[in-house]
Every structure is written in structure tokens, then in C-alpha cells.
Amino acid sequence: MKHLLTLLLASTLIGCGTANIRDDYKLDTASGEGLVIGSITYDGAMAEYRINYEREGGGTRNYFSAGAAMYPAMPRNDFPTNSFRGALFSSALPAGRYLIRKSSTSGGMVNSHSTNPETIAFEVAPGKATYLGNFHFVPVRRFNILIGAKVIHLDQLARDQPVFQKRYPALTNTPIKTIEIRNGGLGESVKTEIQVITPGGAVISTDR
């Protein structure tokens, strides 16, 4: 029972990321929402990797994710022929300006997130699609425990667009606008806050 409560607490801390659109989704200017597309990929062993965003001025806070924090989950892998793993995200958001402020990871009982990353701004336009880029995570481990990750922001539209078109054939001819992409590391020197869930369910936080 104590182990079950620990798993439930871990699930609560992880939360639910922004859902992908349905297969039959259609862009509609009158809906007041737009489509954001991107991908999260990662090297090494399985964990959950997240890009956290918020609406400028307050309101919506959530994240896009790939991978899975705990076994025996089998996360989707949209890039099976490559040396890395990951998934495309295709999500509908209300029109407005958003900010990506941090990245985070979760592996087993250890959660970590960047505490001072570079900010990436993006605009969601009603009835339009916007590509946010590829966020590639290079996990950092200590004693084989995931304690964070370096994140590289890349323009991989040429690779990601065919994956998007295969998943959503009704949107094959949709024009996709690309934001300014760094094509380099994000916050290489940032600190990471680590949260460890003890067998008793307590959460211990520390910075590194």
C-alpha cells in the first residue's frame, strides 16, 4: 500500500501534458485557436522529457512531452529508424502569445527542472499552424540516476513535417509558419532543481 501511494504521488507531480489533436482535426479561424507543431527527442534510457510553456500575462500553463517516467509504460516513438527516440506534438491552443520558460525531466522517483532557462516566445494565430522546432534532450546522469538534461533547440521541419502529414493526412497541405529557432543549446549553464520522492512519499528538493 505504501508503494502504491508513492506511485500515486509521483503521478500527481508529473501531471498531464497538453493533448495532441484528434486525427480528424480541422483548422478553423472562427474557433479562436491555432495549431502548434514540434517534436521532443531524447538520447539514452527512457524517461519523460517536457517543455513547459505558459501564456504571456498569466493563464494557461502546461507542457509538451515525450517518453515515459516509469516502467512498464511504452511511449510512442515517431522516429524508429534513428539512434534517438521521441515524438511529435501537434496541439491546439487558444490564440495569443506564449513563452517557453523551462524544460523538465522525470525518471522513476526523481524529477528535475531548469530554474533559469532562456525564454522562447511564440505566437498562436487563429486558424494557422506554427512550428516550434525540435527540442532534443541529452540526459545528464549521476550514478546512473537521471538528474537533468541539456536541451538543444533545432529546426527539424524537413524531418518532422512528413511525420505530421502521415498522422494527419487531412492537414497535409496546411501552410506551417516557423518561429525563430536557436539551432543551439538552451540555457547550457542553468541550475536544475531536483525533486526526489522517498519510499515514505515525502518530497525532497535540492539544487545542483
Side-chain angles (χ1 to χ4, degrees):
M1 176 63 72
K2 184 178 291 186
H3 182 61
L4 176 60
L5 289 174
T6 301
L7 291 178
L8 289 173
L9 176 58
S11 176
T12 300
L13 288 173
I14 292 166
C16 296
T18 304
N20 286 320
I21 56 174
R22 302 183 310 274
D23 292 348
D24 60 352
Y25 179 84
K26 294 181 180 179
L27 281 166
D28 181 6
T29 303
S31 70
E33 65 181 22
L35 181 63
V36 291
I37 304 163
S39 61
I40 295 175
T41 53
Y42 53 94
D43 295 328
M46 188 180 74
E48 185 180 24
Y49 301 91
R50 304 183 292 272
I51 293 296
N52 302 69
Y53 68 89
E54 61 187 66
R55 189 165 185 170
E56 190 174 54
T60 303
R61 286 190 178 189
N62 211 326
Y63 60 85
F64 309 111
S65 68
M70 291 186 175
Y71 292 97
M74 297 293 290
R76 193 179 89 234
N77 181 17
D78 289 331
F79 308 100
T81 62
N82 293 274
S83 59
F84 54 84
R85 287 179 271 184
L88 188 81
F89 59 82
S90 308
S91 303
L93 295 178
R97 182 177 168 85
Y98 293 79
L99 303 171
I100 293 173
R101 290 199 181 277
K102 67 179 181 179
S103 61
S104 50
T105 65
S106 181
M109 299 299 176
V110 180
N111 303 315
S112 67
H113 65 83
S114 53
T115 56
N116 187 30
E118 299 176 56
T119 298
I120 297 174
F122 63 93
E123 190 84 24
V124 177
K128 298 186 182 300
T130 303
Y131 178 68
L132 304 186
N134 166 239
F135 299 89
H136 185 74
F137 284 71
V138 181
V140 176
R141 292 179 179 272
R142 186 175 298 166
F143 306 114
N144 205 33
I145 297 174
L146 178 70
I147 61 169
K150 295 181 179 179
V151 184
I152 305 170
H153 189 206
L154 299 168
D155 185 349
Q156 294 284 11
L157 181 61
R159 182 200 67 194
D160 292 347
Q161 190 167 11
V163 177
F164 172 77
Q165 292 171 335
K166 183 177 180 180
R167 288 183 61 84
Y168 306 102
L171 298 173
T172 294
N173 297 320
T174 299
I176 300 175
K177 179 183 177 181
T178 300
I179 68 168
E180 183 177 349
I181 293 175
R182 304 295 175 83
N183 283 309
L186 296 178
E188 293 287 354
S189 61
V190 303
K191 294 193 301 180
T192 299
E193 182 183 74
I194 302 170
Q195 292 184 334
V196 181
I197 305 172
T198 70
V203 178
I204 303 172
S205 295
T206 182
D207 285 347
R208 72 167 180 85

